[in-house]
Amino acid sequence: MSENTRVAIVTGGSSGIGRETAVRLGRDGFAVVIGYAGNKASAEQAVTEVEAAGGRAIAVQADVADEVAVTALFDRAEQEFGGVDVVINAAGIMPLAPLAELDLQVFDDVVRTNLRGTFVVDQQAGRRIRNGGAIVNISSSLTLLARPGYSAYAASKGGVEAITLILARELRGRDVTVNAVAPGPTATPLFLDGKPQELIDRIAAEPPLERLGQPSDIAEIIAFLAGPARWINGQVIYANGGSAA
C-alpha cells in the first residue's frame, strides 16, 4: 500500500448509505475498514465491492456504542493500514411509532446506537484521526421535516448535529474537518422496510425532483466532504432533493 493511500473507517458499512459510501471511497483509492454490527456476509460482500472499485478493504465487527469494541476497530485500522484519515458514522437504527406509544426501551436503543454510537466513534476519531483528516456524521432531514412517527430517530439525530458542530471547533489546529450530512428519504433497507408501497410513492413525490434519494446521491456528498471539500467545516448539509419542512 502506498504511503499516500488514505484510510477510512465506515461504520454501518455493510448496507445502505454506509456500503455505498465505502464503495465510492474505494473508487477514490481509499483503504476502507467496514464496521458492521452483525451481518458478516453482507460486510464481506461490501469488502469485495470496494476492492472491485479499486480500493482495499477489511470488515471488522463492532458495536458502535461499545467503547471497547470501537477502540479495537480503530486499532485494527491502524494495524492493517497504518492510521486513520477519514471516519464516516453511518450506523443507525430507525424504529417508528408515535411518541405517546413508543416503548421506552426502543427509545433507549435508538439513542444508544444513533447518538451514543456517534459520540463513541467520534471520541476515538478526535483522539486518533491524522491531521488533514475528515469526520462525517450522518444526521437526517427529519430534524427539520418533523414527520410524525420519527420523534426518537429525529431526536437522536438532533444530538448528532450538536456533536458535529462542537467537535469541529474542538479540533482547532488539527486541520480536521467535521461535518454532518442530513439525508432526506433515501432508498435504503432502513427506510424501505415495513412501509407500504403507497406511502413510499407518496413520500417520493414530495421533493421537487420527485423521487427518493439513492444511496449513491448521499455517498457522493460524503466523498466530497472526505476529500476535496477542505473549506467546509462545522456544517450540516441537508441532502433531500428540495423537500421543505
Side-chain angles (χ1 to χ4, degrees):
M1 190 173 77
S2 166
E3 288 185 4
N4 296 323
T5 298
R6 301 183 79 209
V7 180
I9 292 175
V10 182
T11 70
S14 64
S15 67
I17 290 170
R19 182 167 178 163
E20 191 71 29
T21 298
V23 175
R24 178 64 183 79
L25 293 176
R27 289 207 299 274
D28 284 343
F30 274 77
V32 183
V33 179
I34 293 170
Y36 70 98
N39 192 333
K40 183 176 181 180
S42 183
E44 292 295 347
Q45 180 60 37
V47 167
T48 300
E49 292 176 10
V50 172
E51 291 174 341
R56 294 183 58 188
I58 59 171
V60 180
Q61 186 174 14
D63 173 358
V64 290
D66 179 344
E67 63 270 29
V68 175
V70 171
T71 298
L73 174 66
F74 276 76
D75 288 346
R76 185 76 186 280
E78 291 174 350
Q79 291 160 6
E80 291 285 336
F81 299 128
V84 178
D85 302 289
V86 171
V87 175
I88 314 296
N89 270 300
I93 61 174
M94 192 173 66
L96 305 180
L99 186 150
E101 301 171 14
L102 185 70
D103 185 282
L104 287 176
Q105 183 57 57
V106 174
F107 176 82
D108 289 345
D109 291 343
V110 171
V111 170
R112 184 180 187 279
T113 298
N114 297 356
L115 183 53
R116 178 187 166 94
T118 297
F119 193 97
V120 170
V121 173
D122 278 359
Q123 190 170 65
Q124 285 297 314
R127 294 169 180 171
R128 301 169 71 166
I129 198 166
R130 292 190 283 210
N131 289 8
I135 298 168
V136 184
N137 296 326
I138 305 301
S139 179
S140 170
S141 288
L142 286 160
T143 58
L144 296 181
L145 299 177
R147 193 181 299 277
Y150 290 83
S151 58
Y153 182 76
S156 71
K157 293 302 188 177
V160 166
E161 293 185 6
I163 290 170
T164 301
L165 303 186
I166 291 169
L167 183 59
R169 287 150 180 82
E170 290 179 346
L171 295 183
R172 174 182 292 273
R174 292 270 303 279
D175 189 25
V176 172
T177 63
V178 188
N179 295 289
V181 177
T186 305
T188 65
L190 187 71
F191 172 77
L192 296 172
D193 286 355
K195 288 185 175 68
Q197 189 60 46
E198 180 274 333
L199 176 59
I200 293 170
D201 292 343
R202 181 152 43 88
I203 293 173
E206 289 176 354
L209 297 179
E210 296 186 324
R211 66 174 177 86
L212 294 177
Q214 296 298 314
S216 58
D217 294 321
I218 311 304
E220 284 296 333
I221 299 166
I222 295 171
F224 178 57
L225 294 172
R230 299 305 302 168
W231 198 233
I232 300 175
N233 188 29
Q235 305 298 317
V236 179
I237 298 178
Y238 292 91
N240 54 37
S243 296

